[in-house]
Amino acid sequence: MILDKFGLKDKVAIVTGSNTGLGQGICRAYVEAGAKVVGVSRRPSDETAAQCGKNFHNVIADLFSLDVIPTVIGETLEKFGRIDVLVNNAGIIKRQESIEFSEEDWDSVLNVNLKTVFFLTQAVAKQFIKQNSGGKVINIASMLSYQGGIRAPSYTASKSAIKGVTMTLANEWAKYGINVNGIAPGYMATNNTQNLRQDEERSSDILARIPAGRWGTPEDLQGAAVFLASSASDYVNGFTLAVDGGWLGR
């Protein structure tokens, strides 16, 4: 049955940034689809754990440093015995006029949003190859993977790079049965956009450009995340899917 291809029964997924927002929504969707989920977060993902139940395990790790990668991989294998899916969702943003943007804010964003994403993905891909099982990698990109934006130069750089790296890794790893794809969320009602949503003028300008007429929610991303993690997407490689209420088509 075609619907069986969308299931994640007995799959093991790592989802970074699991304590709130989009990551929390993806964790919940994966558990509902039958997967076991390891959520990675700087702070305890207690709310996510309560929503997901026994098939969720939380690893506390600060992805600013590459040093935590062996811990993430090791705890996942110790708890569930394998890895089938990686969702690189964790990310940070620093907002400032580019003319005043600091080296510290540049480096902090690129470390979390790009450097750790690449090397965590590399480590997971090595495990996929060791298992001889293939696997799924889903990188959370952004509307700023396609556009310049304003007042977020390091975030734009990191998310543009994520889209490019997604294609590169797909080119190299498809031969191992590893699918690397991305999701570019539109303007979502999450912690990262709280300041924008509270700015009446900016929020109004943004909503005027979204054909769907509303901010997105974590639930809006769940279908795409399940699809790209499932066998229904086995012939999808190197593509970044926009889930944006029509923003890019405007």
Side-chain angles (χ1 to χ4, degrees), residues 52-108:
C52 293
K54 65 180 181 180
N55 285 331
F56 177 83
H57 176 70
N58 189 200
V59 175
I60 306 300
D62 186 348
L63 295 172
F64 182 81
S65 170
L66 300 183
D67 294 342
V68 301
I69 291 175
T71 299
V72 173
I73 303 294
E75 282 202 36
T76 302
L77 295 177
E78 181 179 355
K79 181 69 176 179
F80 295 126
R82 60 182 294 110
I83 307 171
D84 300 289
V85 180
L86 170 64
V87 180
N88 288 306
N89 167 71
I92 62 174
I93 187 169
K94 301 289 186 179
R95 299 184 188 278
Q96 180 59 275
E97 298 287 344
S98 294
I99 197 71
E100 299 172 353
F101 208 81
S102 70
E103 182 179 3
E104 179 183 1
D105 284 350
W106 180 272
D107 288 346
S108 65

Side-chain angles (χ1 to χ4, degrees), residues 82-199:
R82 60 182 294 110
I83 307 171
D84 300 289
V85 180
L86 170 64
V87 180
N88 288 306
N89 167 71
I92 62 174
I93 187 169
K94 301 289 186 179
R95 299 184 188 278
Q96 180 59 275
E97 298 287 344
S98 294
I99 197 71
E100 299 172 353
F101 208 81
S102 70
E103 182 179 3
E104 179 183 1
D105 284 350
W106 180 272
D107 288 346
S108 65
V109 171
L110 269 293
N111 274 348
V112 175
N113 293 12
L114 183 60
K115 183 177 179 178
T116 299
V117 166
F118 176 81
F119 286 104
L120 176 59
T121 303
Q122 182 189 72
V124 169
K126 289 178 180 179
Q127 179 63 27
F128 288 159
I129 293 169
K130 182 179 179 180
Q131 293 169 182
N132 194 29
S133 61
K136 306 282 186 172
V137 176
I138 302 163
N139 294 322
I140 302 303
S142 168
M143 289 295 94
L144 298 189
S145 301
Y146 297 90
Q147 301 173 323
I150 58 171
R151 303 187 74 250
S154 59
Y155 185 83
T156 301
S158 70
K159 292 303 183 178
S160 296
I162 283 295
K163 183 173 178 290
V165 166
T166 295
M167 293 186 284
T168 294
L169 299 184
N171 290 341
E172 294 189 35
W173 295 349
K175 64 186 177 185
Y176 300 115
I178 299 172
N179 299 81
V180 185
N181 291 291
I183 299 174
Y187 283 87
M188 298 283 172
T190 65
N191 294 346
N192 271 355
T193 62
Q194 184 174 353
N195 289 338
L196 286 178
R197 287 181 286 117
Q198 291 176 341
D199 184 328

Side-chain angles (χ1 to χ4, degrees), residues 1-93:
M1 296 289 290
I2 184 60
L3 291 181
D4 293 339
K5 288 182 175 290
F6 290 86
L8 300 178
K9 181 175 171 54
D10 297 327
K11 298 294 185 181
V12 176
I14 297 173
V15 180
T16 67
S18 60
N19 58 317
T20 61
L22 302 182
Q24 184 178 88
I26 292 170
C27 290
R28 189 169 64 248
Y30 283 179
V31 168
E32 290 175 4
K36 300 175 177 67
V37 177
V38 172
V40 182
S41 55
R42 283 188 301 166
R43 295 178 294 276
S45 296
D46 293 341
E47 185 176 284
T48 308
Q51 293 175 7
C52 293
K54 65 180 181 180
N55 285 331
F56 177 83
H57 176 70
N58 189 200
V59 175
I60 306 300
D62 186 348
L63 295 172
F64 182 81
S65 170
L66 300 183
D67 294 342
V68 301
I69 291 175
T71 299
V72 173
I73 303 294
E75 282 202 36
T76 302
L77 295 177
E78 181 179 355
K79 181 69 176 179
F80 295 126
R82 60 182 294 110
I83 307 171
D84 300 289
V85 180
L86 170 64
V87 180
N88 288 306
N89 167 71
I92 62 174
I93 187 169

